[in-house]
Amino acid sequence: MTPMQKLLQLPVNAVNMVKTVQSQVQGFQEEAKSPVLTPDGGQQTWYNALQPDELRQLRSAGGGGLGGGGGAGDQEERAPLEEGGGITSGQTQLLRHDDLKEMLDSNKDSLKLEAMKRIVAMIARGKNASDLFPAVVKNVACKNIEVKKLVYVYLVRYAEEQQDLALLSISTFQRGLKDPNQLIRASALRVLSSIRVTIIVPIMMLAIKEAASDMSPYVRKTAAHAIPKLYSLDPEQKDQLIEVIEKLLADKTTLVAGSVVMAFEEVCPERIDLIHKNYRKLCNLLIDVEEWGQVVIINMLTRYARTQFLNPNVNESLLEEGGGGGEKTFYGSEEEDEEDVEDKETKVEAAAMAKRKPYVMDPDHRLLLRNTKPLLQSRNAAVVMAVAQLYFHLAPKAEVGVIAKALVRLLRSHSEVQFVVLQNVATMTIKRRGMFEPYLKSFYIRSTDPTQIKVLKLEVLTNLANETNISTILREFQTYIKSMDKDFVAATIQAIGRCATNIGEVRDTCLNGLVQLLSNRDELVVAESVVVIKKLLQMQPEKHSDIIKHMAKLTDNIQVPMARASILWLIGEYCEHVPKIAPDVLRKMAKSFTNEEDIVKLQIINLAAKLYLTNSKQTKLLTQYVLNLAKYDQNYDIRDRARFIRQLIVPTDKSGALSKYAKKLFLALKPAPILESPFKDRDHFQLGSLSHLLNAKTGGYQELPDWPESAPDPSVRNVEQEEVISTGEGRIGLLGDWREVPEWTKCSSREKRKEKKVEKPFYSDSEGESGPTESADSESDSASGSESGSGSEESGSGSESEESEDGSESEADEEDEEEEKEKKKKKKRASIKPVQQSESEQSSEEEEERNSGKKSKQRKSDSESESESDEEDSESESSQSEAESEDSESEAEVKKKKKVTPAKPTCKPAKKEGKKEKKEMSLLDLDDFEPAPSPQVTPVSTFLSNSLVTDLEGLSLTDSVLAPATIAPSSAMKSYELLHRITGEGLSVEYCFSRQPFSPDPHMVAVQVQFTNSAGSEAKNLHMEETKLQSGMRVKEFPEIEVLPAGETATVVMGIDFCDSTQAANFQLCTHTRKFFVSIQPPVGELMTPAFMTENEFKKEQGQLMGMNEITERLKLGDRCQSDHAIVQRVAAAANLSRVPCGSDKECRFAGRTVTSGSLVLVTVATREEGAAQLTVNCEKMVIGTMLVKDVLLALTQ
Amino acid sequence: MIHSLFLINHSGDIFLEKHWKSVVSRSVCDYFFEARENAGSPENVPPVLQTPHHYLISIYRDRLFFLSAVQTEVPPLFVIEFLHRVAEMFQDYFGECSEVVIKDNVVIVYELLEEMLDNGFPLATESNVLKEMIRPPTILRSVVNTLTGGSYIGETLPMGQLSTIPWRRSGVKYTNNEAYFDVIEEIDAILDKSGTTVFAEIQGVIEACIKLSGMPDLTLSFMNPRLLDDVSFHPCVRFKRWESERVLSFIPPDGNFTLMTYHVSTQNLVAIPVYVKQSIGFFESGSCGRLDLTVGPKQTMGKTVEGMMITIHMPTAVLSANLTATQGSHTYNPITKVLVWDVGKLNPQKLPNLRGSLSLQSGAPKPEENPSLNINLKIQQLAISGIKVNRLDMYGEKYKPFKGVKYVTKAGRFQVRT
């Protein structure tokens, strides 16, 4: 934009000229384009650079001024937008669009970008930019990432309107779906699924299915997001989408969980059966899911739990009703109705109780409550609210209290948050008043609160009022009455009225207070008081004739119609109590009748009629006078009423039977109005929901189901669930895939699975039966076994009660062993495979990519997951991704073992199909193969024969108490990467902690380093240099390797004294040509050596390491490490400790000494019922202790 | 979930709209405008409105309305919390959240909204992740961009989204590694006319500013964690460690963030640092009133009270105020009816006093109620609850960071009734 152009303004009449010029310009542009196509690079750039400027000059010359039309600067751009409906606006807009088109057609990215920015700005302001569609869509393949992004924005906005043109862009996205980069795949899917064009539904479906089995969790997450999009576009796809959802629900990563549950809620919330098998996993993942996902999952689980578990409050509610009778008496007139209902309820419940065993909480129910509780500490108000409603709807009454504190905390948040929270608190306080009583003062009102908040707080305070705190509350109310905010004052008076009705003791006080308010100067206050007093008096009028008299006097002063009407009604209703005053009031009213408001007039007629009936002597004439006045009133209601009443009360010849009953009609005993909270019974809506807030069912609201009525036998339910799980998993694991997933994904998953199976033994070989992982699902058999065994024995306390577990425990053990055996068999069968694997590792990169795409993919996922766990060992989430690989196998096993074969018939034909397509698939697979990012850890390769290791192990560990299986020597051999093949230019180096004593220096940790030369040429003079160490640390270098021929491996041992810290040792690894900076960081478990002691010694030492040196942690054992075996194995894998014999079978003890200082490290794992356990670590070095606790915890809980 | 978002300014213009599903006509906002008119003040607009086809959920923040349209059941707090997150993100990106700034950066805003929601479901709400994808504008960059036509969209792909610690970006590097913690405590209190405490509690927050390279793993421990009654954490804090050891263990996000908020148990009596002697009265006749305020320090633990400010919302009948202050300045805004007395530092030797007369609208009845006083104050280097940070340890990185803790006590919702 040149300054000259900025100065120029667009004259109205110039527009047409400009347009003609522009068409010329376009012609010119077309001409100009042809040389652009020539291969001459220099010329091309020249054109590009010149074109826009030249054009502008041309045009500005032709138009005589083109500021607005040019629209290239911000100033000009904004001007036409603000013009609104001027004559020129339409034309200038057209003009500007032409200009934008031109910019979009140019070859310069910066121009395109500028144009796109302006277009997006137009969209943001809600201006129509749809006519630019053809010009924009062309740029969808633009290389510039920024332009591309903005084009996507545009596409998503306008594709619906220009369906045909939008199709042009599809191929770009399809290409994007195959990109090796997961982020690009994800964004392609995201945009593709956001384009609401019905024709591409099949393409979207394919893309979603493919992405659902993508190896990147991020892409899978995007797929989950895409499901509801497709569903809203074409609900007919529901069945297929449910299949995808089912598949994604089984996903083990936290990234996916929230999104897929969201999709579940939108597409098939009624398919609660899909949740069964994922329930425990979701519970366990919950804390690590991102906050928005947490909200969705918790809300869904609330609904789920309502269908699956028993009401934990059955017992309590019975007790409560018995004791609650005393409380109920305050409820005045409500009393009768409520008690009726409650009586019925009580009876029903009592009947049910008679049949039922004492309540025992389902362990799954407990799991949900336990795992959601920490989320009350979330910073996100929505999460806190979600947990709160879950507790409110699901928790035993005694435990609901914990949510109060968190909800009160939210009251410090933004006023909108307060608004919603208070609404929910108001509902809760009706059912569970005691919960919020300690926080009464937090609901006190400040003068600066917005009115709607004040009113809600008032509601809560009123609900919380009882005879003990009423005096404080009333004192507080007194200050509120003085507020400037009149709506609030009115609400306060009503609140006082409600307190008075509910709490008998203060009724008189309240009434007196309200009567005092009658002399308030503010009319609104007086009027509201009158109305409330009227309601109160209706309860016991005979006592309060003096108040009625007082109010009668007020008729002279009060002008608010509602208040006057209320007073008149009162006097009429209780005219017997004020026989002298009533006629006088009527006299006064008759005098002012014509000036009164309609509502007051009606009440005057009413009063007259009642007086006529009770005291006709004095009031006959007055009544007739009033009726006559009313007869000629302007308002037909009043005329009608007068006519009607005259007929009714004045006996004439014609008047029928009705007039006999006039007295009964008018002076019937009227029930006192019920003053109750508007929040009563709102809790049949799920709290925290929009429906609850609006007190009306909204679209898409899922009713909160009632608790299952008849108590389902828990063991039956468990078995049932087990079956569901096993069949479901079977489907997912092996059979289902063929049936459910389209052909082209079937194979890939099938193949992957096959691979996993093959690899699994390799894993389990190295890490023993347990491995570091545990799937939440596969626990079902062992866990449910113990559950069903114990269920009947548990006492009815509702909390996790003690139980004798011997029987169930051993059951689980047996099962475990069985599983183990099976696994071992498998291992043997497939024990050749690992070798191949390690070979492939050494093979050159290209080869690998070509031949073993799948393999490396597999490996990558392994390494990915493991590196995760490495990065943050304390974060439990990593376990989930690790679990992935092992899961399918165990699932399959479960299936086999159970011999549950509902899916079997489909199995065979599907298998064939799968095989047929295997080849096609691998081709496709290559497409989205992604080069593995440099993995930090690769699975252990089998270069060291396991036998050797065990041999060595045998030398150092002589404790005969230990069964050979209890120590997992190979798991200690988990190897870490020191130098990656690529960075090392063909030289890859791995190290592992061999757990051997380092003979040259006993204070050093032995590190076994393995060099693999996969480069083309030999490496020479491998040695280390320049160690950079923290103070105190020492390194014993390994002997130099003189020559390492291509393709060979060599292993050396070095010693490092880590000074009992997990600081890394840094040094340089040198070859004859290069130097590499590397570092070795030990896991804390490797900093110790086993120590041998007796039980007594152990106890003695432990006794000395109490207090600060003892760290105790409660944990829930992962379901696959319930047995002693597993525990020992896992602890041994996590730390280099030896087992100490122990008399109790409920405890496992381990001992060791740190390598450098020889400080004792004692670990005790005491198992409790139901997989609960307590881990105690005693260690002189507190840092080591805490870190070790973390590691062991992680190992045990997975 | 969230269908569309409209940004509406104070005068009721829709200046930005964004749709995540099909386009919702902006006429849907008319229902909102109607409610806005009925409500009187913007704070009183109901956050949730029902219209024939949509539900409107809105927040009011920084004189702007963020209005979202939803069509189906959704937890209202979910939307409200998200909208606040959006506003915070604008604040974070542009330094303030105002109409002008949003209009100036409309493309960035649009990109942000695009990334934050996918099909109405929150996608990336961590500022660190977003900043990797969309760079916030800086003066230097905007100059460079206008010259070169450069970009604000990050060249790198956001890897943070993929990691298990999405709040921290990878490859952070600083030459000076620093970690600062501000322990800020606010006293929420209601005092009655005579100065006795009706209700008082302490709410604390720990704001952190962490500039550390790599992936530091920090552990913060307190001298007296028992004081803390109720806490909420940034997602980075490991809850289990807190449960068992009462220490904060976390891998921090890069830059500024709120580490935790806490509430100090109410059993402990809250020290009220100042007292106010007040007498505000209106005369029955003559359309005038008088005001006399004196403030003085009460329990300040030997520290000076600074930034003392008293705000009074006067009854509508008060036309003007003729006051003299012995210290600080005072202003009365006759339109909003707000009297502000900025006292400044509290001098215990010479207590600040404000006195004078108030003139009322002639003929108006004597105001029934007395206005309450809202008090602001600040005490440096004091956490009124007595909480103390014990130590900060860093694991996982080798360098020695510079560490600092600062304590401040402020008045939160501190109100004196008269």
Side-chain angles (χ1 to χ4, degrees), chain A residues 1132-1143:
Chain A
N1136 192 9
L1137 298 171
S1138 70
R1139 187 170 177 188
V1140 174
C1142 170

Side-chain angles (χ1 to χ4, degrees), chain A residues 124-125 146 150 190 218 229 291 377 412 416 447 451 476 482 484 521 689-691 698-699 872, chain B residues 17 26 44 60 73 85 111 114 118 151 161 164 186 188 203 231 233 366 369 372 415 417:
Chain A
R125 291 189 188 112
E146 208 172 339
L150 295 176
R190 209 179 132 193
Y218 185 63
K229 296 186 207 169
E291 37 196 5
Q377 255 65 48
R412 266 189 65 86
E416 296 86 9
S447 60
T451 309
E476 192 62 21
K482 291 191 207 138
M484 286 177 245
R521 219 158 348 95
S689 67
L690 190 59
S691 305
T698 58
E872 20 155 23
Chain B
E17 61 179 70
R26 55 165 69 189
N44 268 326
Y60 178 68
E73 169 66 44
R85 211 56 79 75
E111 284 278 333
E114 183 78 29
D118 181 15
S151 68
Q161 228 166 343
T164 44
E186 298 195 344
D188 285 0
Q203 298 281 352
V231 285
F233 297 121
K366 170 193 155 199
E369 71 287 335
S372 50
Q415 204 160 73
R417 290 175 177 167

Side-chain angles (χ1 to χ4, degrees), chain A residues 755-768:
Chain A
E755 272 234 339
K756 273 178 200 159
K757 235 201 239 166
V758 166
E759 244 195 346
K760 205 57 52 52
F762 155 71
Y763 241 131
S764 14
D765 236 8
S766 62
E767 303 192 343

Side-chain angles (χ1 to χ4, degrees), chain A residues 1045-1089:
Chain A
E1048 294 282 303
T1049 58
T1051 308
V1052 290
V1053 179
M1054 62 189 285
I1056 304 178
D1057 178 0
F1058 285 105
C1059 272
D1060 292 348
S1061 80
T1062 50
Q1063 301 279 14
N1066 301 317
F1067 54 89
Q1068 274 187 356
L1069 204 60
C1070 307
T1071 65
H1072 61 299
T1073 51
R1074 286 283 312 265
K1075 292 179 177 181
F1076 307 102
F1077 285 98
V1078 291
S1079 70
I1080 292 180
Q1081 187 164 21
V1084 66
E1086 306 296 343
L1087 294 175
M1088 42 202 75
T1089 56

